[in-house]
Each structure stands twice: as structure tokens, then as C-alpha cells.
Amino acid sequence: MQRTAKTLSPALAGPATIPGWGVDADARNDPTYPIRDQSRDHGLTRRWDRPPVQQPDVEILQSIEHIRPPAVVGTSVPPRGVSGAMRRLAFRWSESNCLHWLILLGADRVDVVEGVVEDLSRGTLPNVPAEMGVGAAWRHDRERLVTRLALVAGTIVVGAAIATNVRRERAAARLAAQTADRAV
């Protein structure tokens, strides 16, 4: 199947027909003027030296697309446990690969479970409603919180009703099978 090139497509619009096209063409109407005006530069940007790179005392994961680390890196939460292993695995792929991001998302979820297990191992019961922001939602978006709580409660009630019905049907089937066995 032959596809036409995008440049040959009759649906392309000319730049003059696009609202706002060329709005920054006039140098007198440049919205970035104060920032890009280098006529008053006193040498601060011309002779800029790269700051020294921070020497962290924890493991830092770096994208394979960068040849050197940034000047400052976050060291408060180094990779650890299963989630850390997942993060190390994710950084084997490029940031343009969706697998990189999916593994990182999974590592975040695993990190939550590891945090709860760590809290429980210390004898601390996690305050899940506070960590989920229920208090702030009650103060700032009460209607949405009530809707969500109603949906959760409804889901629990429907699930319990289905589970009860399944148990009753299984008990009735067992009773019928026992009755049939005794009749034989």
C-alpha cells in the first residue's frame, strides 16, 4: 500500500491561514525580549562555567541518553529493595521506550507496598486515609469525595451480595449432591 507523503497532502494548511502564525516574527513584539536581550549582558552568560558535579554518597540512576550526570541530583530516596531492582532494570532502556516508563510505574507501586510492610514491621499502622488525602478532599472537594466513597461502598455491597449468592448456590449444589448420593 503506497501512502502519500505528508508534504504532498492537499489537507495541509498554509502558514498564513493559521491564527497566530508568525506572532513572534516582529522583533519589537518579542515576548521573550527581556530574557533574550543580551545587549546589557555584563559577561555573566558569556563566561558561564559549569558548576561542579555533586558527589552523592548514594546510588544515582541515570538515563542512558546522558553522558554525564547533572550538577545536582536528589539523594533523599535512593533505590532499594525490589522497587530499586525494578528501577535499575528500567534504566537499561531509553526514555523513549514505553517499557522504561511502565517498569518505573510498577516500581512506584511496589515501593508503596514495601513502605507499608516496613511500617508494619516497625509496629506502626499506616494511616491510609490521611496518606490518600481524604482530609484535604473533605475540605476542598467534598462532593467528589462523597461520590467516590459512595461508589466504593456500592462496589463493596455488590461484591458481598455476589459472594453471598455464590456461597448459597454452592451450598445448595453440595446439599443436592449429598441427597442424590444417599438416594443411590
Side-chain angles (χ1 to χ4, degrees):
M1 175 176 153
Q2 178 125 5
R3 295 184 184 203
T4 58
K6 287 186 177 183
T7 54
L8 302 176
S9 172
L12 282 179
T17 63
I18 300 173
W21 181 270
V23 71
D24 57 350
D26 184 7
R28 295 172 294 174
N29 187 27
D30 185 0
T32 64
Y33 169 73
I35 296 169
R36 290 197 336 199
D37 179 24
Q38 295 182 1
S39 64
R40 296 186 203 150
D41 183 13
H42 302 293
L44 297 176
T45 58
R46 280 182 281 174
R47 292 188 301 269
W48 182 79
D49 294 325
R50 181 175 167 79
V53 175
Q54 173 186 353
Q55 297 301 319
D57 54 353
V58 296
E59 178 185 10
I60 301 296
L61 299 174
Q62 180 177 330
S63 171
I64 61 174
E65 288 143 355
H66 301 285
I67 57 172
R68 61 179 178 216
V72 179
V73 293
T75 59
S76 63
V77 186
R80 62 186 172 87
V82 175
S83 63
M86 291 175 70
R87 291 178 203 286
R88 286 182 203 96
L89 177 68
F91 278 92
R92 292 182 183 175
W93 285 278
S94 166
E95 291 179 9
S96 65
N97 190 331
C98 69
L99 190 59
H100 170 87
W101 298 107
L102 289 173
I103 293 173
L104 287 178
L105 285 170
D108 287 345
R109 298 331 183 255
V110 169
D111 195 36
V112 168
V113 172
E114 287 176 338
V116 169
V117 169
E118 185 179 335
D119 286 348
L120 293 174
S121 70
R122 288 191 208 143
T124 306
L125 191 62
N127 188 355
V128 176
E131 292 175 7
M132 291 179 64
V134 172
W138 182 256
R139 285 189 301 274
H140 300 289
D141 197 1
R142 194 171 294 177
E143 183 179 325
R144 186 174 181 191
L145 176 66
V146 169
T147 303
R148 285 183 173 181
L149 290 175
L151 285 172
V152 168
T155 303
I156 291 171
V157 167
V158 168
I162 290 172
T164 302
N165 191 28
V166 166
R167 275 193 225 118
R168 283 183 189 155
E169 288 178 359
R170 286 183 181 168
R174 261 188 261 123
L175 185 62
Q178 289 173 356
T179 307
D181 286 344
R182 286 185 192 147
V184 174

